[in-house]
Amino acid sequence: MSHITSLLMSLAWRNLWRNKRRTLVILFAIVLGVWAMIFTAAFMRGMSSQILSDTINNLTGHIQIHSKQYLDDPVIDHRFSLIDDQLFESLNNVLIKQTSSRVRVPAVIVSERESTGLVMVGINPDNENGMSFLQSSIVEGRYLKDENDSGIIIGRKLAERLETRLGKRVVIMSQDKDNKIVDRGFRIVGIFDTQMEALETGYIFMGLQTSEDLLNIKNEVSEVSILLHDMNQLDELVADLQQQNPHLDVQGWAQLEPMSRVIIELYDSFHLVWHLIVFLAMGFGIVNTLLMSVFERTREFGLFQSLGLKPGFIMGQVWVESTLLLMLGLFLGNIIAWWSVLATGEGIDVSAFAQGMEMANLSNIIPFVIITKDLVLANSVVIILGMLTSIYPAWRASRLVPADAITRV
Amino acid sequence: MKTVVSCKHLNKIYRQGQIEVKALTDINLDVIAGDFICLSGPSGSGKSTLLNMIGGLDSPTSGEIIVDGQHVDKMSKSELAELRLHKIGFVFQAYNLIPVLTAKENVEMVMQMQGDSKQYRNEHSLAILKEVGLEGLENRKPAELSGGQQQRVAVARAIVDKPCLVLADEPTANLDSKNADNLLQMMREMGEQHQMTFIVSTHDPMVMERARRLIKLHDGKIIENNKQH
Amino acid sequence: MASTWRFAWRNIWRQPRRTILSILAIAFGAGLLVFSIGIQLGQYDLMIQSSIRIYHGLLQVQKEGYLDEPKMRTSIADISSLASDLRKLSGLDAISARANGFALVSSDKRTYGTMIVGVQPEFEKKISSLPGVIKEGRYLSSDSADEIIIGRSLARNMQIKLGDEVTILGSGRDGSVAATIVPVVGIYESGSRDLDRNLIQMPLISFQQVFEMNGHGHSIVIYDEDVKQLDALRLQFQDLTADYKDLVTLSWDEIQPGVRQMIELDYASGWLMYIVLVAIITFSILNTFLMSVLERTREFGIMLALGYTPFNIGRLVMLEAFILTLVGLAVGTLIGVAINYYFYVYGLTFSGMEEIAKMYNMPATITPQISFESVFLGPAMILLFTLLAALYPATRIRKLQPVEAMHSI
């Protein structure tokens, strides 16, 4: 059959360029469409990966372990002990890359002039490292030395609001394990700056041991946050940990931050919808252009038939022609999309919409991210649907009656 | 001698809305191998219809057509295609060639479809183009050839794989008399050299003179069927 | 004139299949744009309405600087009489004064730091939907009653029920300690996580006493359900408060810039997608315009010979493109409006919508907007693009030479 294939290919390629202008017009439509698909997919993928990494960095991690009632009512009462052989053993899992234990309770911060409510987080600075945004966001002063560090770290916005600054003392008030109000003065040793206002005004950080001392607890924490080597093993590990620690509550990030999950899922489902819309927009043009070239060549198809070529060959010819056109469009579209993604560098800066972005759990720079799955989806939508739609013009071509086709002037 | 084409009680009626047009009425015709037949008659007399029908491009309303022992009227589309590919060559008045292919490629195409080897195709197409007097023009596209040259390529393509029957529908209609004469001369020579049967439709008296047998059609009926030379 | 239209109309239908495909492409684009712009604008209306309605109002009069740094001392003196003056002078009734503070609120078991807002119960009902979402008990009774209402989440976290007393401990405007014990008379559930978890309301006069406000307050909230009146109202209130120095009139989008930015960002990215889509559709049908000129060269030659000018013919070709586009737009717009009308009556919702709605404090069904803007903006853009596209083949006519043209095929 190869002799027929090569004949088909060379006929199709040359026919494609018989009417250069027309082919270029429709090719442009296809390239534009493919570009739009991949570029938009890269943007949406960038948004969702940004949301995902922000979600994980903003103290969530991949998995968190809490006491049963903590998520409903995040207070000191719902803490759990770290001196627990079963827990210790189950955290010694090869799938786990890193863990961090935290005390995380509501508190009030009082400066010389203002006061406000927020969440106080006690951490082990070494364990926290690489797990959350904190260390890399310190812009003034220093990070916590160790879990006994007597200083605290607060956000830049909070410092402005409290009219305080690095080196000043503030009072932290909270409830201890017996629900008594406890308070103590702390020196601000570091100031952090993130793009998220809610983080900057809603959290302060101190050493884990320091926070336990303040709340009169020992070796007890509010949560353990876990980072995995491979996110794909998340569900498996959640199930294992939950089974091994039935008295605790084990949740993945998607359950902890349903909003992020929903947005990511929405983007995901929008991919295909958008691809289909773009394809439809160019599909009409593809069919129309192919039909034009088929009806122009009526005589020629009659001639093919009189030469003894079967209708299947004629159908194949038009079909190969449109497939070549589609592949050319895909090739150029992919290249231009890659190029334009590269040209955007780090991503696009949408800080003009900073507060709006924050409402959508997003930071101010959206990177463009191209992943294989999205490329495959966009390209297969175009090639598969494109080949399907060109069946109609190809079929029309093969159905032309030879005697009519030849005698038509 | 072997009969290549045999038509029996052939009728063709075209229907256009309410109007019926009898294109062919009770045609009976036998063509023996190696003949060079001229089909003449005014336009609308049914020449093209008859040729198309023998070539399986159109189907009769009633009657039968046998080409090389096969019932053309009873064949499926793809059987007809096979028949045309292997046994029949066509030459039309115009638009004979695939515009995107060169003269040589046009000739080679039929052989390629039959699965002939590249070397065979190459040798054969060059030889036949030389025979029809187009040496040196093999790589030109149809648009770069004169009308006469185009028709020669068409003839070369029609005969390259030695079909038993070549159907030519007004092949000289678009040519001046000198070119027409040359083309006819060549077709006749080819027919004799390669033992092929030609049926040529025309209303050109010069073509009629060249024919061995002259069949005249009028209003879809055979009114004359004479052997000439 | 009529005959030119008829001539153009007949020309369009010389290639019915091609024309229908082109009309379908245009109709698809128009329908899609009408549908999605309607949905988008409808969604924005909802977001704006809900963000205004629930708590923040359409306009607020504040002391200059309070918005950026909401401090107790940045207050308006004698706020109740200013509010009543404004009601009288403007003729609007939906104007209410508020004072904001922060305090530690304790039940028997728990202590939380939350916002406390002093309100005028009678007028608060007119500017905010919060008084209407009391799920247990009742709303505040009078300006000077010693009572509070509290959000459902906060009540649950503090483990208090209706009728329980809570201790409020904060600092007054003059820096003194502000403390009181008040009963909870109502529990509200607004659906906004922020409010339900973090906001307590008490009568304005009681608030002023507890927090040593001395008649001061922080904002005068003005509500009007017609967002379009915003600019006019803003000017009016700027005028009315011109005599007071340091007072500013802020619009809802200055108070909640996040909502406005979300909308702007969404609208901008939406339009980018629409433009790309319309460009693809334009290229899809450009071939139709192009071919209808190129294949009629001979005909145009005859027309030139008959005394038509190239301008006449160019106008005819443009008219054909215009009519074809109009038919497509009419079909698409009708379908788009029909779909939007359906959802206008029955409401549109999709999976994930509920979570997002909760986040932005909106109902979970979208009602598409059907307005001049939502219906005609998209089709107008398509018309503009296609007419630009039709210019290209039309200009080619000027190059025609009658004799050559008549001899071409």
Side-chain angles (χ1 to χ4, degrees):
Chain A
M1 284 310 274
S2 73
H3 54 279
I4 296 185
T5 316
S6 72
L7 180 62
L8 275 176
M9 288 297 279
S10 71
L11 275 173
W13 180 253
R14 292 187 205 179
N15 278 320
L16 205 50
W17 298 107
R18 259 164 97 166
N19 193 329
K20 281 200 194 66
R21 189 181 359 227
R22 186 168 62 200
T23 301
L24 285 177
V25 166
I26 193 64
L27 187 64
F28 194 84
I30 298 174
V31 171
L32 190 64
V34 173
W35 171 83
M37 287 180 182
I38 297 175
F39 196 68
T40 315
F43 182 68
M44 291 192 293
R45 186 60 65 193
M47 291 244 242
S48 34
S49 69
Q50 189 71 41
I51 291 174
L52 182 58
S53 70
D54 283 353
T55 302
I56 287 166
N57 271 326
N58 295 345
L59 300 178
T60 306
H62 290 149
I63 299 174
Q64 287 190 346
I65 301 178
H66 300 105
S67 128
K68 283 277 187 211
Q69 300 88 7
Y70 180 84
L71 285 177
D72 245 2
D73 189 10
V75 293
I76 183 70
D77 296 7
H78 304 134
R79 61 190 188 269
F80 60 97
S81 173
L82 279 182
I83 309 175
D84 176 340
D85 291 344
Q86 181 56 52
L87 179 61
F88 185 77
E89 194 162 313
S90 58
L91 288 179
N92 199 8
N93 190 313
V94 285
L95 300 180
I96 294 177
K97 185 178 163 199
Q98 193 176 348
T99 65
S100 177
S101 317
R102 304 176 186 134
V103 164
R104 188 168 170 178
V105 293
V108 171
I109 184 166
V110 183
S111 73
E112 287 164 13
R113 328 198 87 165
E114 292 287 330
S115 58
T116 185
L118 38 60
V119 175
M120 141 192 156
V121 189
I123 55 169
N124 178 315
D126 294 333
N127 292 346
E128 197 67 33
N129 227 342
M131 195 138 172
S132 62
F133 67 93
L134 190 60
Q135 192 190 16
S136 56
S137 307
I138 301 284
V139 287
E140 273 182 69
R142 59 170 174 82
Y143 187 48
L144 296 171
K145 283 199 300 283
D146 54 46
E147 56 179 43
N148 288 309
D149 197 318
S150 61
I152 61 163
I153 296 177
I154 74 171
R156 193 210 287 282
K157 281 264 162 54
L158 181 66
E160 283 169 16
R161 199 161 288 178
L162 294 174
E163 295 182 63
T164 186
R165 57 188 153 79
L166 191 71
K168 288 269 190 184
R169 286 180 74 84
V170 289
V171 173
I172 306 288
M173 299 161 75
S174 189
Q175 277 179 294
D176 75 357
K177 68 173 198 296
D178 304 318
N179 286 324
K180 281 212 299 283
I181 302 276
V182 288
D183 60 72
R184 188 191 294 176
F186 292 91
R187 189 172 301 282
I188 299 169
V189 297
I191 297 214
F192 68 91
D193 186 358
T194 68
Q195 287 160 354
M196 309 285 235
E197 190 174 338
L199 273 180
E200 275 186 41
T201 57
Y203 293 87
I204 56 155
F205 297 88
M206 62 175 74
L208 181 63
Q209 193 58 55
T210 312
S211 68
E212 288 184 346
D213 290 348
L214 177 67
L215 303 174
N216 292 317
I217 52 176
K218 204 162 175 50
N219 289 320
E220 285 179 311
V221 294
S222 308
E223 73 185 16
V224 174
S225 180
I226 298 170
L227 220 52
L228 302 185
H229 291 287
D230 180 0
M231 272 253 285
N232 293 320
Q233 291 158 331
L234 190 136
D235 292 338
E236 187 191 331
L237 188 65
V238 168
D240 283 356
L241 290 175
Q242 186 65 77
Q243 200 213 338
Q244 288 156 9
N245 303 284
H247 62 293
L248 294 174
D249 185 17
V250 183
Q251 302 271 9
W253 67 268
Q255 283 76 44
L256 293 165
E257 295 288 338
M259 191 63 204
S260 298
R261 179 190 48 112
V262 167
I263 293 181
I264 290 171
E265 280 172 0
L266 264 186
Y267 281 142
D268 248 11
S269 55
F270 186 65
H271 274 289
L272 187 61
V273 174
W274 171 244
H275 290 348
L276 291 179
I277 288 172
V278 170
F279 181 81
L280 265 175
M282 63 196 202
F284 288 108
I286 295 174
V287 172
N288 228 353
T289 307
L290 284 174
L291 279 177
M292 283 180 215
S293 84
V294 163
F295 285 110
E296 263 173 20
R297 273 145 61 193
T298 301
R299 269 180 173 286
E300 204 174 308
F301 292 125
L303 181 62
F304 274 115
Q305 295 199 35
S306 71
L307 290 175
L309 299 182
K310 292 176 188 170
F313 178 89
I314 292 164
M315 216 173 138
Q317 197 192 322
V318 175
W319 204 55
V320 170
E321 202 173 313
S322 85
T323 307
L324 277 178
L325 177 72
L326 288 167
M327 296 209 307
L328 195 62
L330 279 175
F331 176 72
L332 294 173
N334 276 285
I335 286 185
I336 295 173
W338 266 104
W339 175 81
S340 48
V341 164
L342 286 180
T344 57
E346 300 273 298
I348 48 170
D349 188 345
V350 286
S351 47
F353 305 103
Q355 277 153 301
M357 299 300 289
E358 198 174 321
M359 285 185 79
N361 287 359
L362 277 166
S363 55
N364 293 337
I365 302 231
I366 308 285
F368 282 80
V369 177
I370 290 187
I371 65 169
T372 321
K373 194 179 99 185
D374 296 341
L375 279 183
V376 170
L377 183 69
N379 283 289
S380 15
V381 163
V382 175
I383 198 80
I384 292 172
L385 292 185
M387 283 162 84
L388 284 177
T389 38
S390 43
I391 286 177
Y392 173 64
W395 176 80
R396 288 291 319 190
S398 73
R399 294 285 302 190
L400 295 167
V401 183
D404 284 359
I406 300 163
T407 41
R408 182 177 298 172
V409 179
Chain B
M1 264 211 170
K2 193 181 158 205
T3 308
V4 181
V5 179
S6 173
C7 301
K8 287 172 187 156
H9 307 295
L10 204 56
N11 287 290
K12 177 70 184 179
I13 298 167
Y14 287 113
R15 221 177 285 269
Q16 271 190 321
Q18 298 291 324
I19 309 159
E20 283 190 356
V21 181
K22 284 191 177 178
L24 294 174
T25 311
D26 198 30
I27 302 287
N28 290 287
L29 179 66
D30 285 306
V31 180
I32 54 168
D35 214 345
F36 193 94
I37 294 177
C38 181
L39 209 53
S40 77
S43 64
S45 60
K47 302 182 301 271
S48 294
T49 309
L50 182 55
L51 280 184
N52 286 344
M53 227 143 337
I54 293 171
L57 293 175
D58 204 348
S59 52
T61 312
S62 67
E64 54 184 46
I65 309 168
I66 299 161
V67 174
D68 200 34
Q70 287 170 286
H71 274 271
V72 174
D73 49 298
K74 290 180 184 132
M75 290 165 95
S76 71
K77 271 196 162 185
S78 72
E79 284 169 334
L80 284 172
E82 284 289 318
L83 176 81
R84 288 197 291 269
L85 181 60
H86 295 285
K87 298 202 168 151
I88 304 176
F90 274 97
V91 181
F92 299 103
Q93 178 180 342
Y95 302 107
N96 263 306
L97 306 176
I98 309 295
V100 293
L101 299 180
T102 63
K104 180 162 168 282
E105 285 169 333
N106 262 291
V107 175
E108 274 190 44
M109 196 181 73
V110 177
M111 291 190 282
Q112 200 171 352
M113 288 304 297
Q114 292 179 348
D116 293 335
S117 76
K118 196 167 181 178
Q119 195 195 350
Y120 175 85
R121 286 187 337 238
N122 190 35
E123 285 169 7
H124 241 64
S125 58
L126 288 176
I128 201 92
L129 282 168
K130 191 174 173 188
E131 254 186 276
V132 300
L134 291 175
E135 202 177 357
L137 303 177
E138 295 91 349
N139 290 324
R140 292 206 183 171
K141 295 247 175 88
E144 299 156 348
L145 296 168
S146 72
Q149 287 166 336
Q150 287 182 29
Q151 290 304 77
R152 279 165 186 268
V153 178
V155 172
R157 184 189 55 201
I159 63 178
V160 67
D161 246 19
K162 315 266 179 327
C164 57
L165 176 65
V166 175
L167 302 172
D169 192 359
E170 309 247 13
T172 60
N174 286 355
L175 302 181
D176 60 40
S177 60
K178 186 162 173 285
N179 268 316
D181 194 33
N182 285 341
L183 187 74
L184 253 305
Q185 176 79 31
M186 186 202 83
M187 282 166 70
R188 184 89 200 244
E189 277 167 19
M190 292 289 136
E192 274 159 21
Q193 229 169 65
H194 299 290
Q195 284 300 304
M196 281 180 280
T197 313
F198 274 73
I199 306 180
V200 184
S201 82
T202 185
H203 48 248
D204 182 351
M206 192 172 64
V207 181
M208 300 177 204
E209 271 173 39
R210 296 258 178 208
R212 286 222 202 124
R213 177 193 286 268
L214 181 65
I215 296 173
K216 281 193 177 164
L217 281 174
H218 196 269
D219 283 348
K221 289 175 200 148
I222 296 180
I223 52 166
E224 216 181 298
N225 186 347
N226 293 328
K227 191 157 180 169
Q228 296 196 155
H229 310 284
Chain C
M1 192 57 202
S3 75
T4 317
W5 280 75
R6 193 157 53 224
F7 191 21
W9 177 253
R10 285 190 192 159
N11 278 331
I12 291 172
W13 294 103
R14 278 159 69 168
Q15 297 278 357
R17 193 194 331 258
R18 188 193 295 171
T19 299
I20 285 172
L21 275 169
S22 306
I23 286 177
L24 281 178
I26 293 169
F28 166 74
L32 191 78
L33 257 56
V34 169
F35 170 72
S36 34
I37 292 175
I39 297 282
Q40 256 184 313
L41 294 182
Q43 194 180 353
Y44 301 158
D45 284 349
L46 268 186
M47 287 170 72
I48 295 172
Q49 274 302 333
S50 356
S51 68
I52 292 173
R53 186 80 194 100
I54 183 111
Y55 184 72
H56 296 283
L58 186 62
L59 290 165
Q60 288 192 12
V61 176
Q62 295 181 350
K63 193 90 169 175
E64 202 173 351
Y66 184 76
L67 182 69
D68 291 329
E69 286 179 61
K71 291 180 208 148
M72 268 246 147
R73 280 162 293 123
T74 316
S75 55
I76 303 170
D78 206 3
I79 197 159
S80 303
S81 47
L82 177 59
S84 87
D85 285 352
L86 288 178
R87 273 191 287 270
K88 247 177 268 157
L89 293 169
S90 69
L92 281 174
D93 211 23
I95 296 176
S96 184
R98 282 182 189 154
N100 307 320
F102 172 82
L104 283 179
V105 178
S106 314
S107 63
D108 291 348
K109 299 188 176 123
R110 297 281 174 78
T111 299
Y112 275 84
T114 71
M115 289 280 298
I116 296 197
V117 179
V119 297
Q120 300 179 292
E122 183 194 347
F123 297 106
E124 185 73 16
K125 285 175 188 160
K126 294 173 181 159
I127 59 157
S128 155
S129 60
L130 204 72
V133 291
I134 300 285
K135 299 291 155 154
E136 278 181 65
R138 57 168 173 83
Y139 191 60
L140 304 171
S141 54
S142 75
D143 276 11
S144 54
D146 274 332
E147 55 193 27
I148 60 166
I149 60 154
I150 180 172
R152 169 87 82 199
S153 313
L154 187 58
R156 201 186 52 201
N157 288 347
M158 292 181 63
Q159 302 187 342
I160 51 177
K161 18 180 233 309
L162 204 63
D164 285 359
E165 291 198 322
V166 297
T167 309
I168 292 174
L169 184 72
S171 52
R173 185 170 177 272
D174 55 3
S176 64
V177 173
T180 185
I181 297 177
V182 284
V184 175
V185 297
I187 294 175
Y188 67 86
E189 191 171 2
S190 69
S192 156
R193 280 190 289 187
D194 255 12
L195 296 181
D196 289 355
R197 187 178 281 183
N198 199 27
L199 179 79
I200 288 178
Q201 286 193 353
M202 72 190 297
L204 183 62
I205 292 174
S206 317
F207 181 95
Q208 286 169 333
Q209 281 161 1
V210 172
F211 288 87
E212 303 291 344
M213 296 296 291
N214 202 12
H216 283 243
H218 295 109
S219 58
I220 294 174
V221 183
I222 299 141
Y223 178 78
D224 192 303
E225 64 178 6
D226 192 358
V227 182
K228 292 191 194 75
Q229 296 300 316
L230 180 68
D231 290 335
L233 282 174
R234 185 179 178 153
L235 279 176
Q236 187 186 2
F237 281 90
Q238 267 166 356
D239 239 27
L240 291 175
T241 56
D243 293 344
Y244 301 82
K245 71 175 182 358
D246 297 344
L247 286 195
V248 286
T249 306
L250 302 163
S251 60
W252 68 273
D253 52 338
E254 287 169 297
I255 297 159
Q256 306 177 80
V259 176
R260 155 95 335 150
Q261 287 175 4
M262 278 273 297
I263 290 174
E264 280 171 355
L265 181 68
D266 194 71
Y267 209 43
S269 55
W271 272 98
L272 276 183
M273 287 194 181
Y274 298 152
I275 288 173
V276 171
L277 199 65
V278 172
I280 295 169
I281 289 173
T282 307
F283 276 95
S284 263
I285 58 171
L286 177 56
N287 268 340
T288 304
F289 295 159
L290 202 57
M291 291 318 289
S292 78
V293 169
L294 294 184
E295 70 194 1
R296 275 153 65 192
T297 307
R298 183 204 284 263
E299 181 182 323
F300 292 149
I302 294 169
M303 288 169 74
L304 286 173
L306 289 175
Y308 274 75
T309 62
F311 178 75
N312 292 146
I313 299 175
R315 206 174 52 181
L316 177 71
V317 168
M318 287 295 287
L319 188 63
E320 287 173 28
F322 181 67
I323 294 175
L324 186 145
T325 308
L326 274 192
V327 173
L329 290 180
V331 172
T333 308
L334 275 178
I335 293 173
V337 170
I339 294 173
N340 276 357
Y341 184 73
Y342 175 86
F343 288 123
Y344 185 78
V345 176
Y346 296 101
L348 168 70
T349 188
F350 50 87
S351 71
M353 177 73 198
E354 210 168 309
E355 276 110 324
I356 290 184
K358 211 175 264 171
M359 170 115 170
Y360 301 122
N361 195 7
M362 300 181 337
T365 47
I366 299 176
T367 311
Q369 191 189 84
I370 300 181
S371 63
F372 186 81
E373 189 188 7
S374 77
V375 172
F376 291 107
L377 213 53
M381 180 166 74
I382 297 180
L383 185 64
L384 178 73
F385 269 67
T386 46
L387 287 185
L388 282 178
L391 269 179
Y392 167 58
T395 52
R396 290 191 51 84
I397 291 164
R398 294 178 54 191
K399 297 182 192 147
L400 285 182
Q401 297 295 319
V403 179
E404 268 174 52
M406 274 194 294
H407 285 104
S408 77
I409 306 161

